[in-house]
Amino acid sequence: MPEIKWNADLYDNKHSFVSKYGEDLIGWLQPQEDERILDLGCGTGLLANEIRNYGADVIGIDNSLEMVAKAKAAYPQIRFEVRNATDFTFAEKFDAVFSNAVLHWINESAKVVACVYNALAPGGRFVMEMGGKGNNKSIMGAIKKAMVDEGLADKIVADFWYFPSVAEYTALLEAHGFTVRQVLYFDRDTELMGEDGMADWIKMFSSFLFKNISTKQAETIIAKTVDHLKDRHYKNGKWYADYVRLRVKAIRN
Ligand code: BEZ
């Protein structure tokens, strides 16, 4: 995971779509009363709270101190902890592990899947959604083009996101003792908030791409990128990101 300082307020105010779409994923989880459910990468806790509203006993974990602090303040009745998705363990087993829009930040996917397996009781379910193969391709292409055009090609940072294909991720799950029961791979152009939606999105999620250049150069790159994307990503006064989603439900053997 890159060094990203998550801004929990900005995340909630301008990127609330992350949690909004997650509510649909809860339909795949179908939480039951008194089930023990782990929200892996819980962010500011909104979805953990939704799951709790079904009567489940939820624990939320996230590796951002700031996100966890905000989650605790907003939902004091839920247990939230700062934990790393690649090396967490719990004494008691969970009936389900849920994860929304998080796992593409973690390249060590085998470690994550192994931790999820160990956290689940036999027959427990892993329900997750993340960026799939081709996610944000157009936005990333535009940032790189702007850097090349500005003579900054040698400063381009390779993006590190993990956007697996269906074949890759289901093979990973099967290799780690899961049976895959449901998969969905789909385009979801995602509306960004406000007139500066695309620039805000780039600043929030892609700032690591600018670590080799000055703040001023980054501002120029963002402005050029936004300009370049306008034709394809700005419609009827709204910005859209070219998200591709991979959604999976798998059962621990
Ligand atoms: C995503 O949800 O697909 C995503 C968000 C920010 C950066 C990369 C991917």
Side-chain angles (χ1 to χ4, degrees):
M1 180 141 180
E3 284 166 37
I4 290 188
K5 176 95 180 66
W6 292 99
N7 179 330
D9 290 327
L10 191 64
Y11 182 86
D12 266 1
N13 295 339
K14 292 206 168 167
H15 307 284
S16 55
F17 58 83
V18 178
S19 298
K20 188 177 98 200
Y21 285 122
E23 286 168 20
D24 191 45
L25 185 63
I26 294 176
W28 278 40
L29 178 67
Q30 296 191 336
Q32 306 294 314
E33 206 155 336
D34 295 331
E35 276 193 322
R36 275 177 55 82
I37 299 184
L38 179 69
D39 183 356
L40 173 56
C42 60
T44 52
L46 195 131
L47 294 176
N49 189 51
E50 294 278 318
I51 295 168
R52 183 178 178 272
N53 287 341
Y54 286 79
D57 179 11
V58 184
I59 297 178
I61 60 172
D62 201 288
N63 79 342
S64 159
L65 205 88
E66 194 185 359
M67 293 283 194
V68 167
K70 197 160 181 215
K72 280 182 176 171
Y75 310 107
Q77 64 282 26
I78 299 179
R79 182 172 147 200
F80 292 103
E81 293 181 9
V82 178
R83 299 274 196 119
N84 193 317
T86 58
D87 69 3
F88 67 89
T89 54
F90 283 89
E92 281 179 75
K93 301 291 181 199
F94 291 90
D95 298 299
V97 175
F98 174 87
S99 183
N100 178 53
V102 170
L103 299 182
H104 44 250
W105 292 102
I106 306 164
N107 265 304
E108 293 175 302
S109 51
K111 285 190 182 172
V112 175
V113 171
C115 286
V116 172
Y117 180 91
N118 287 329
L120 282 169
R125 54 210 194 278
F126 178 32
V127 174
M128 73 90 196
E129 185 176 302
M130 66 191 292
K133 189 171 180 174
N135 197 42
N136 300 334
K137 199 171 169 189
S138 170
I139 300 177
M140 287 309 115
I143 293 175
K144 285 174 189 165
K145 180 180 173 351
M147 289 188 71
V148 171
D149 290 351
E150 284 297 298
L152 298 168
D154 60 329
K155 303 281 193 283
I156 292 177
V157 175
D159 51 47
F160 56 83
W161 284 308
Y162 173 59
F163 297 138
S165 66
V166 170
E168 185 180 345
Y169 205 73
T170 54
L172 180 74
L173 287 169
E174 286 172 0
H176 283 81
F178 285 90
T179 300
V180 175
R181 299 300 299 269
Q182 249 176 299
V183 181
L184 196 59
Y185 173 70
F186 59 106
D187 290 327
R188 184 170 65 208
D189 276 0
T190 296
E191 186 185 326
L192 307 177
M193 277 176 72
E195 195 52 37
D196 294 324
M198 182 58 77
D200 287 343
W201 186 94
I202 294 171
K203 285 177 202 158
M204 174 87 187
F205 294 118
S206 311
S207 52
F208 66 94
L209 290 172
F210 309 127
K211 70 176 186 188
N212 294 334
I213 61 178
S214 68
T215 307
K216 195 160 176 356
Q217 284 172 318
E219 278 166 16
T220 305
I221 297 301
I222 293 170
K224 291 206 162 203
T225 301
V226 167
D227 202 39
H228 183 72
L229 290 171
K230 196 147 193 175
D231 266 2
R232 157 144 162 41
H233 291 257
Y234 189 72
K235 295 187 188 96
N236 303 321
K238 289 179 175 154
W239 283 101
Y240 293 86
D242 56 330
Y243 277 18
V244 178
R245 302 287 93 181
L246 172 62
R247 186 182 283 197
V248 177
K249 176 177 178 178
I251 305 298
R252 180 215 199 268
N253 296 334

